[in-house]
Each structure stands twice: as C-alpha cells, then as structure tokens.
Amino acid sequence: MTLTSRQTRIAIELLTNPQVYKVKDMSEKYRVSTRTLRSDLNKISEWLSAQIGCEYNSKPGKGIWISSSSDEERKAAINSLYVNGKLKNSSILYYSPDERKWLILTKLVFNNEYLTGKSLSETLNVSNNTFLSDLKSARKEAKRFQLSIIGKNYYGYKLIGDEIDVRSLMEYILQKHIDYYTFEITDTLNMIIKISLDCCKDLDLPLSIRRIMSAIALSFSDDLSETLSSHSTDRNIIKSMINRLTVIIFENKSGKRLISHDTKHDLQRNQEKYLEVYTKIMKKFEVKKSLQEEKYFVFGVSDFNGHPEAVAVKIINYVSNKLKLTLNQDITLLDSLVQHITTEFNSDYQYSDMYTPFTYELKSKYPEVFLSVKEALRIFVSENPIIINDAFITMISLHFVVAINDFKNSFKVKAMYVCSSGKGATSVLRRSVEQEISCITCVGFASLSNYLYKAKELGPDIIISIFMLNEITTIPTIQVNPIPTKQDIIKIENELKKLNEKVNLASNRLNLDYPEQKLDVENTEHVLSMALEAFIRLKKHFINQIDNKYMDAFMIHVEMATDRIFFNKQYTIQTNEDTYYGCSSEDFDFIKKTFLDLNLDINTTEIIAILKYTEFR
C-alpha cells in the first residue's frame, strides 16, 4: 500500500525515535485534528503489518509507539520509505500547511513575473480557499524578511522588496534544501557531489536554479577541489558558497545586480581564498565581477552592527526576566556569550549553519529557554531568519541551559544586614548568621538612615535587620536580635526555604529535570560522576578539534548522552553504514572506548552526534 507524504513523515518519526507519543501532541505538531491523525495511524498500522519485525502499539492513557525486534529490521522499514535518499512520495498527494507556505514563497521569490492564484493553487493541489489561507501564512513569513507579497487584479501575486532582502529569502530557502541533500554526510567531496546530483531531482526548486546549483557544485568538485582542500575549508562554508553563488548567478542573469550592500566589514587579505573561488565561478558563467557582489559572497546578508558585550548583557537581562531567574549576575554566562557572538559575526567567512542535531532535544526539554532566547536574538541582534535560525538559537540557548543548571545547583541568597549605624553590629550579625547558614552571602551593610537607598543599590534577596523596617515591602525582611537566637536562625531558614521553592518551581517549569524518570540520589550522583569523567577525557582528546565557543554546549551534550545511555534512551535515528566514513576511525574508537570504560554501551548514532561538534566552526 502507499502512504501519503504526511503519513510517511509520521511513520519515519515513529520509527527513528522509538518512544511513546501522545496522539494530541502529534495532531498539534502536524496541524490536523486528532480524528485525522488516528486515520493516518490506522493506515500506518496497516502498512507496518507488511514490514518484517515491526509492530504498531497503542494503549489508552499511555499513547502510541512502534516496536521492533531488532535495529536492523527497524532501519529496513525506514529505508523502504526512501528512494535515492528522498521520500518515495514526497512529490505527490499532500503538502503540509508549512510546506505549502514555503512552496508559495519559493515560486514567488525565484520568479520576476506575477503568478496567478489559480496556477499556485494547482501547484499545491489545494482549493482556492485553502490557497488563500496559505497565502496569508506566506505573507506573514515574507514580512520576517522585510518583504511583501502584493496582489493585482487579473495579474496575480508578486514578491517585492529590497534586493538584499530578496537574496536573504533565496539563501534561506536554498540552505534548507542543501542541508536536506547533505544530511549526515561528513566527507567533503561526497557532499559536493550529492548536492550536484540531488538538486537536479528536486522538483520543488525551479529548473533554472537546479541547473545553476548543479553546475556550480560540479565546478567545486572538478576545478576548485585543489583550492578548497589546500585551505582546509569547512564543509558549512562550502555549502554556503554554493548557495550564494547560485543566488548571485541567478540574480545577475535576471538583470538584478546588487548595487549597494551596507556592511561594516571590509575585505581583508586572509579572504583572498574565497575571492579566488568567486572569481573562477564568475568567469565560468560569464558574469561581471563587482565589489558589492564580492562582499555579499563573503559576508552574506549579515546586518549585525552592535557591540558584542552590550548585546550579550541585553540578551541575558531579557531572558532572565522572561524565565524569572537571576542570571544577570553570572559572569561566566556573560563571558561565553560575548565570545560566541564575537566569533559568530567576525569570522573570515559568514556562513549559514541552519542545522544542529540538538535542536529538537533542546526545544522539547527546554522550550521556554529556546523561545526566550529566540525572542531576545530577534530584538537585539537581527530579525533576519537567515541569521537568527534554529541552529544559532540552539547554540546560544545551550549557554543558558548550562547557566541555569549551575544556578539551580548552587543556590545562594544575597543578604543585606541593617543596624542603627551600618557598622559594628552588622559585622557581628553577619558572622553569626553565616556560621549557621552556609548558602547566605553578604552583599553589604546599611543603617537606619540609608537602608532604602542601599536596598535599591545592592539588590539583596533578603534583608536581615536588628530593627523593624516597615517601609520595605518588596524584599523579605527578617528582624533578629543583635546576637541571633536559635529562633532567629529558624526564621531565616524558613524564609530561605520559600526562596528556594521559587527557584525549584522555575526549574520544574523549565523542565530542567527528566520528568518521566524517577531518579534516586545514588543514581543521579553516579550518572553525573560518569558524565564528568567522560567529558574530561573527550575534551582532552578533541581540544584542537572543537571550537572553544561550543565547549559549554559540548559539555552539556556529553552529560545528556551519558544520561540517555544509562537509562536506555539513546538516540536511534536512521544512519547508513557510510555515515561516519568521513570521521577519523581513531576518534570514533576513542569515544566508544571512553564510554565502555565507564560500562556504558554507546551506539553509533550517539557517537556521530558527539562527532558533529568537530564540524562546527
């Protein structure tokens, strides 16, 4: 039997991530009613009955899942849904609402003429009413790129906007396709060949774009392979080069040259290797070179002009406020964000990295962190989706996840002490309190005449005072004896419990623990100990292969991987036998041995996910 494209995607998700799914959650994800989803699941169950070793399961109150007798049989079922690396029925029957939105934008952005609603609705295979609903979504998406979709009676629809914004949308669309072609390919030459071949079969892109992209990729594999290998060019940079060169050639052949490109960057000597590639491709396609096109090729559409430290402070303050956590005092978080932002926007070549293997996990476990960071980056860095994409949001979010975990595990309360003069008695009071309560840290002293001013200046969590302070209402205030009694210490501890509950509530709300796992203290400590040992060994081995700005993210990934392995919840995403041929066998074996030494049987998919960090630059 044949599955529709939506049913195929649902089947692939159930097979590649074998876990229990709620029908309601899946219906929301695929934007269909629960009734429609159950109909899809019935078809999938029927299809599975013909797959050896795989079985569809459902249980009221629990959910639905697919079980398999072995990994090989599960992978065989997945592979049966593909032909030459693409879904068997990806071009027939059904497009999801999100796919239809992007198809409308693709048709419009690569076309200089008006397109009629009738031709667009026929392309999407939907009714006119459905098309109008999709058009509304497409208009909203275009607005994120500073573009507009205009309609004209008897003519149809057209996309308008500044040339650099049009290219931004083109680049975004093409990058999604290129990432799809090259998923899990680690060898540079094979990646380029795959782009050249797969783009020719991609019917969702215009024929002219497919021809240009394929020819450029072939030039990279033939004429430019020596140039690229001599400079050890990053694979993500090569993908962006093919992308931008496709855009440049297409737009110039359409008579749309880039007249001005406002960027703070100037071309430097160390960027000559990229300009050499640009020059060869322009010569091959007989397109005239220009300084503005050279800048676009190297720097893309980057419009970041802020000071990294000032921007990092704004992002931290915004996220802290959203999550109701005090992260703006975390110097380590500030330093790592400044370093990341500086590196991101001052590299020799500004490339678009729109994929990381960790986005899905981060979105599902820390949705509020991801959303808050996304909002902050759009406000303080750029609204352009090609710059603020899921990969960039994920990497910035991981810095916050590390900081939040540190914040949770090192609960400290800032206290301000008050006496009549702010001297003498407060020092004795402080020593007496801190001898009994270790989680209190002093931020300062105040007198009866200046405690209101000092409270605003120092921002304490609590105020411990020898006198009653009636004018303070927003900060917990505890009146104690000059030499605190046992009852005084109990009063302070009770207030600290309330503050700690707020931190725990925030942590639980942010899903900082695994809600479905009942972890005892012994297991938790054991897993953390193994995770730390694994990270130390892996960091030492990969110290020259992993960019320092990703080291915090690498640490938390190793911690999560250790947890998954220990509790039998490892990644089981589809991998081909040649998935890791581009990786060093020494690196692969080292990761395997590191976890085996800890009595953890790590699988191939988890190893590949760890090795992904060696690709980030």
Side-chain angles (χ1 to χ4, degrees), residues 40 113 142 175 214 265 279 292 424 471 475 496 499 548 563 598-599:
D40 286 342
E113 307 298 328
Q175 193 67 39
S214 180
H265 301 288
T279 299
Q292 299 303 326
E471 295 184 54
I475 303 171
L496 296 184
L499 290 170
N548 192 51
D563 192 284
L598 298 169
N599 294 318

Side-chain angles (χ1 to χ4, degrees), residues 114-117 151-157:
Y114 282 91
L115 294 177
T116 65
K152 189 175 180 182
N153 288 338
Y154 307 110
Y155 285 85
Y157 301 94

Side-chain angles (χ1 to χ4, degrees), residues 35-171:
R35 182 176 179 180
T36 299
L37 187 78
R38 288 188 190 279
S39 175
D40 286 342
L41 292 173
N42 287 336
K43 291 288 186 183
I44 292 169
S45 176
E46 186 182 342
W47 171 79
L48 273 172
S49 64
Q51 306 303 312
I52 299 173
C54 294
E55 183 181 359
Y56 175 83
N57 305 274
S58 67
K59 188 174 181 179
K62 185 176 182 181
I64 56 105
W65 70 98
I66 291 176
S67 58
S68 57
S69 54
S70 71
D71 249 9
E72 287 70 25
E73 287 169 341
R74 182 179 55 78
K75 289 176 182 177
I78 296 170
N79 289 333
S80 72
L81 295 169
Y82 286 85
V83 172
N84 296 326
K86 292 206 73 174
L87 293 180
K88 278 184 177 179
N89 55 354
S90 61
S91 62
I92 64 170
L93 294 179
Y94 177 82
Y95 287 113
S96 70
D98 189 65
E99 289 170 328
R100 294 199 300 269
K101 172 186 71 178
W102 284 108
L103 276 171
I104 290 171
L105 290 170
T106 301
K107 293 290 183 184
L108 292 174
V109 78
F110 292 112
N111 198 303
N112 295 324
E113 307 298 328
Y114 282 91
L115 294 177
T116 65
K118 183 181 179 182
S119 67
L120 288 168
S121 61
E122 286 176 353
T123 299
L124 302 174
N125 194 24
V126 295
S127 67
N128 186 56
N129 285 340
T130 301
F131 163 69
L132 292 175
S133 176
D134 294 334
L135 181 65
K136 186 177 180 181
S137 298
R139 278 185 162 132
K140 186 177 180 181
E141 193 69 46
K143 200 171 182 180
R144 292 176 57 205
F145 292 85
Q146 313 301 315
L147 299 170
S148 300
I149 298 176
I150 60 169
K152 189 175 180 182
N153 288 338
Y154 307 110
Y155 285 85
Y157 301 94
K158 189 176 183 180
L159 192 72
I160 61 170
D162 292 341
E163 175 63 15
I164 194 66
D165 295 324
V166 169
R167 292 190 181 201
S168 181
L169 177 56
M170 287 180 171
E171 194 175 326

Side-chain angles (χ1 to χ4, degrees), residues 381-540:
V381 177
S382 173
E383 293 184 5
N384 195 323
I386 194 72
I387 299 169
I388 308 303
N389 53 56
D390 277 3
F392 184 48
I393 298 167
T394 297
M395 301 315 295
I396 294 295
S397 295
L398 283 170
H399 290 296
F400 279 94
V401 171
V402 171
I404 292 168
N405 276 308
D406 289 345
F407 178 78
K408 180 187 176 185
N409 295 327
S410 58
F411 176 65
K412 287 286 185 182
V413 175
K414 298 179 293 181
M416 183 179 82
Y417 297 89
V418 180
C419 69
S420 58
S421 64
K423 301 176 183 178
T426 47
S427 297
V428 176
L429 181 59
R430 172 193 175 184
R431 282 197 299 273
S432 301
V433 171
E434 292 183 0
Q435 281 174 1
E436 298 291 332
I437 305 173
S438 61
C439 67
I440 282 186
T441 180
C442 176
V443 292
F445 306 106
S447 67
L448 285 175
S449 61
N450 70 357
Y451 72 86
L452 288 172
Y453 166 76
K454 282 290 186 179
K456 290 181 180 179
E457 178 189 10
L458 301 173
D461 297 313
I462 63 169
I463 296 173
I464 301 174
S465 173
I466 295 173
F467 303 97
M468 180 70 73
L469 305 177
N470 294 322
E471 295 184 54
I472 293 282
T473 58
T474 57
I475 303 171
T477 303
I478 306 157
Q479 184 184 4
V480 297
N481 291 291
I483 298 178
T485 64
K486 185 176 181 179
Q487 290 302 314
D488 289 333
I489 296 299
I490 291 173
K491 281 197 296 183
I492 296 171
E493 287 176 338
N494 287 337
E495 194 59 51
L496 296 184
K497 285 179 183 177
K498 293 178 186 177
L499 290 170
N500 196 19
E501 283 173 6
K502 290 181 180 179
V503 172
N504 287 332
L505 280 172
S507 299
N508 292 334
R509 176 173 53 78
L510 295 170
N511 295 320
L512 291 178
D513 297 312
Y514 294 89
E516 295 179 359
Q517 298 169 357
K518 295 181 179 178
L519 308 180
D520 57 51
V521 174
E522 184 179 350
N523 272 350
T524 302
E525 291 178 351
H526 182 48
V527 171
L528 288 173
S529 174
M530 290 190 295
L532 180 61
E533 186 173 344
F535 171 70
I536 291 170
R537 290 183 62 182
L538 293 174
K539 180 181 178 182
K540 185 176 180 180

